[in-house]
Amino acid sequence: MNLEKVERVYSAYASVYDHTFGKVFQQSRESAVRGLPIEPGHRVLEVGVGTGEALPLYPSCCEVLGIDLSDGMLEHARRRVQEHRLNHVTLKRMDAGKMDLPDNHYDIVMAAYVVTAVPDYRSVVDEMIRVCKPGGRIIMLNHFSNGNKVIAAVEKWISPLCKHIGFRTDLALHTVLEGTCLMVVNKKKVNPLRFWHLVECVNKKNGQQALFANGFALNGHS
């Protein structure tokens, strides 16, 4: 699936997204945002902001930039920003694989249902690493291929069909992280049906040591 098709598919979804996919995934999205280690003054980037369902959940003490390729999705997100008076939120149309953003700028980068919905997940992950500060957090909320061989075979079989509606099912987390400087520090299954994973990574570029908010070193686990 190329970028033009992705944009068409998700712009077509925009008017019904909140009542369909958005409603199904809202619980896990809320869990992801509410669990972020956001401190006053933090800069947060939400990649693939969609209709902005998560935007009211971010505390006003931080700065939030939401980007998306779909004008249709962003139109709904802008309405939500106005409705909730989210003065700390900015929205921009942008290709997540070629972000027009500075290096090492964001404390937290959130990508919900993104890496399996883009033509080139590697460029998106590389860009998230680039714009995130060393030691910052990169959060991915996504379906990743199951380790079970039978389920994985089914996921691989249906993936070409799913691509026509905007995502793939055969991408494994270890494939996404392979060769990157990301260290998984927390991973858990979330709804719907606990087929989705909330994965929290620390950006260890430049050999940066990960830290808890209180300053204690974080060794990481998965």
Side-chain angles (χ1 to χ4, degrees), residues 66-140:
I67 66 170
D68 206 285
L69 185 65
S70 166
D71 279 323
M73 289 286 192
L74 286 172
E75 182 180 348
H76 287 266
R78 292 187 187 101
R79 292 173 187 168
R80 182 167 271 114
V81 167
Q82 292 177 353
E83 178 184 349
H84 291 272
R85 300 180 180 179
L86 304 177
N87 298 323
H88 57 298
V89 175
T90 303
L91 298 171
K92 291 184 179 180
R93 184 179 186 275
M94 197 176 297
D95 176 2
K98 296 179 181 178
M99 297 185 200
D100 184 18
L101 298 172
D103 296 352
N104 308 322
H105 191 69
Y106 293 94
D107 300 280
I108 296 171
V109 178
M110 164 69 77
Y113 315 114
V114 170
V115 295
T116 54
V118 293
D120 183 1
Y121 69 86
R122 177 58 61 204
S123 65
V124 172
V125 172
D126 287 346
E127 280 291 88
M128 290 195 294
I129 291 171
R130 179 184 67 81
V131 302
C132 183
K133 293 178 180 179
R137 303 299 176 99
I138 294 180
I139 316 295
M140 289 179 281

Side-chain angles (χ1 to χ4, degrees), residues 104 132-137 181-183 185 202-212 217-219:
N104 308 322
C132 183
K133 293 178 180 179
R137 303 299 176 99
C181 56
L182 297 180
M183 181 181 73
V185 294
V202 169
N203 190 4
K204 295 198 60 144
K205 64 182 177 183
N206 304 331
Q208 178 67 36
Q209 174 62 53
L211 297 175
F212 281 125
L218 182 66
N219 295 320

Side-chain angles (χ1 to χ4, degrees), residues 1-18 20-21 50-51 68-79 93-94 117 164-166:
M1 183 179 290
N2 58 38
L3 282 177
E4 290 182 0
K5 187 171 183 179
V6 169
E7 200 281 334
R8 287 199 305 270
V9 167
Y10 281 91
S11 287
Y13 286 160
S15 62
V16 298
Y17 186 87
D18 287 356
T20 54
F21 290 108
T51 61
D68 206 285
L69 185 65
S70 166
D71 279 323
M73 289 286 192
L74 286 172
E75 182 180 348
H76 287 266
R78 292 187 187 101
R79 292 173 187 168
R93 184 179 186 275
M94 197 176 297
H164 291 293
I165 57 174

Side-chain angles (χ1 to χ4, degrees), residues 115-185:
V115 295
T116 54
V118 293
D120 183 1
Y121 69 86
R122 177 58 61 204
S123 65
V124 172
V125 172
D126 287 346
E127 280 291 88
M128 290 195 294
I129 291 171
R130 179 184 67 81
V131 302
C132 183
K133 293 178 180 179
R137 303 299 176 99
I138 294 180
I139 316 295
M140 289 179 281
L141 175 59
N142 222 96
H143 169 78
F144 292 108
S145 181
N146 194 293
N148 182 289
K149 291 183 179 180
V150 175
I151 295 177
V154 173
E155 290 170 336
K156 186 174 183 179
W157 180 73
I158 66 173
S159 187
L161 302 175
C162 292
K163 286 181 181 179
H164 291 293
I165 57 174
F167 64 94
R168 58 186 291 188
T169 60
D170 61 346
L171 191 61
L173 178 61
H174 68 82
T175 302
V176 173
L177 299 180
E178 185 177 11
T180 73
C181 56
L182 297 180
M183 181 181 73
V184 176
V185 294

